[in-house]
Amino acid sequence: MHFGILGPLVISDQTGPRPLAAARQRVLLAALLLRPGFVPSDTLAELVWDGRPPAGAATTLRSYVMRLRRSLGPLGPRLETGPGGYRLSITDTELDAHRFVRLYEHGARQVRDGCPDEGLAALDQALALWRGPALADIACAVLHHEEAVRLSELRLDVRELRVEALLRLGRTGTAVAELRKLTARHPERERFWALLMTGLSRSGRPSEALAVYHRVWRHLADAIGVEPGPELRELHHRILQGDTATPLWAAS
């Protein structure tokens, strides 16, 4: 069985996709996928009705659980009823979000341990699991706030580590091109700017790297009234001193 939440909700098995059209059943499944162990019925009702469960919600919830069991086919018995709640038992490989986190952690270890080529491969696999925004068709503000935001931040962490791996491999042109896009889309993430400065300085363009520093300095001052953090300031100082060889991560 395969469950996907890194994009619209997906359920599939060896016979193909299993449709789940009802919006509240999709919320129920997403909640069970993201909450390990038995989830209290009251908690599920809050999520399924997005904070406004109606009178008789417990009875309706039981009906939704029965329908979801049928939608899961042969794996329906994995949706268990327990004291005061429900649990969906899945393996670590059946949910795309779990695989994403494991690939990220493996890729991070490889990059930090001096194997950026292997790390890059794992990080690319992690990013390939995404089909759109997390929980794209799940109508539940709490799940979006608690889970989709967390997963989206991890996705940015993966992209950050990926361009670091590119720089470690000497693929500065590819890294710089990617970082120009990332800094434009996420100007609040100073690490992207620092990696861009690193890529420019290591490819023999220190003046462009210094111009990037002044650009991010102006952005931070105008947007939130702060100066660049210590990592950016240290990198700026090193480039001014002519140090374009020491990698950013050596001081991290």
Side-chain angles (χ1 to χ4, degrees):
M1 200 72 165
H2 166 71
F3 300 96
I5 61 168
L6 301 180
L9 184 69
V10 170
I11 318 170
S12 61
D13 59 17
Q14 66 273 14
T15 65
R18 287 185 168 273
L20 193 62
R24 290 200 172 108
Q25 284 190 53
R26 290 200 302 272
V27 176
L28 172 62
L29 176 57
L32 290 166
L33 289 168
L34 289 164
R35 299 288 195 273
F38 279 98
V39 187
S41 297
D42 289 348
T43 299
L44 287 172
E46 286 290 326
L47 295 172
V48 167
W49 281 277
D50 206 11
R52 296 181 297 275
T59 300
T60 307
L61 185 64
R62 284 196 294 272
S63 174
Y64 288 167
V65 169
M66 291 174 58
R67 294 176 194 173
L68 182 55
R69 280 198 184 102
R70 288 198 294 269
S71 297
L72 294 176
L75 297 183
R78 289 201 199 176
L79 179 46
E80 305 170 53
T81 302
Y86 303 92
R87 175 177 68 182
L88 178 62
S89 298
I90 61 172
T91 67
D92 287 342
T93 61
E94 288 179 317
L95 180 63
D96 59 358
H98 291 167
R99 296 200 304 277
F100 167 72
V101 172
R102 286 202 318 278
L103 285 165
Y104 167 43
E105 291 172 347
H106 174 68
R109 285 194 301 271
Q110 294 297 316
V111 173
R112 304 302 187 210
D113 290 346
C115 301
D117 49 350
E118 296 181 25
L120 181 62
L123 297 171
D124 281 340
Q125 290 177 53
L127 291 172
L129 293 171
W130 287 74
R131 298 165 288 104
L135 301 171
D137 60 349
I138 302 301
C140 177
V142 172
L143 287 179
H144 278 275
H145 177 72
E146 293 182 359
E147 302 293 345
V149 170
R150 176 183 65 86
L151 289 166
S152 297
E153 284 296 314
L154 280 178
R155 188 185 190 184
L156 287 177
D157 291 344
V158 171
R159 299 189 72 176
E160 180 182 290
L161 193 58
R162 181 183 183 276
V163 288
E164 180 182 319
L166 289 170
L167 290 172
R168 287 175 182 252
L169 289 166
R171 296 168 58 181
T172 54
T174 302
V176 165
E178 179 69 12
L179 284 161
R180 290 195 189 280
K181 297 175 185 175
L182 290 170
T183 51
R185 293 172 187 164
H186 308 282
E188 74 288 351
R189 287 182 74 101
E190 292 191 30
R191 183 74 174 183
F192 283 151
W193 292 102
L195 288 166
L196 177 57
M197 289 172 63
T198 298
L200 289 168
S201 65
R202 299 187 82 193
S203 58
R205 297 143 75 184
S207 61
E208 289 185 52
L210 294 172
V212 165
Y213 178 81
H214 290 295
R215 188 159 74 247
V216 67
W217 189 92
R218 287 194 302 271
H219 168 76
L220 292 173
D222 293 343
I224 53 179
V226 300
E227 294 184 354
E231 183 180 56
L232 274 173
R233 293 199 304 271
E234 171 63 19
L235 182 58
H236 177 246
H237 175 74
R238 281 164 40 196
I239 296 172
L240 283 174
Q241 298 301 310
D243 179 3
T244 60
T246 303
L248 169 66
W249 42 91
S252 300

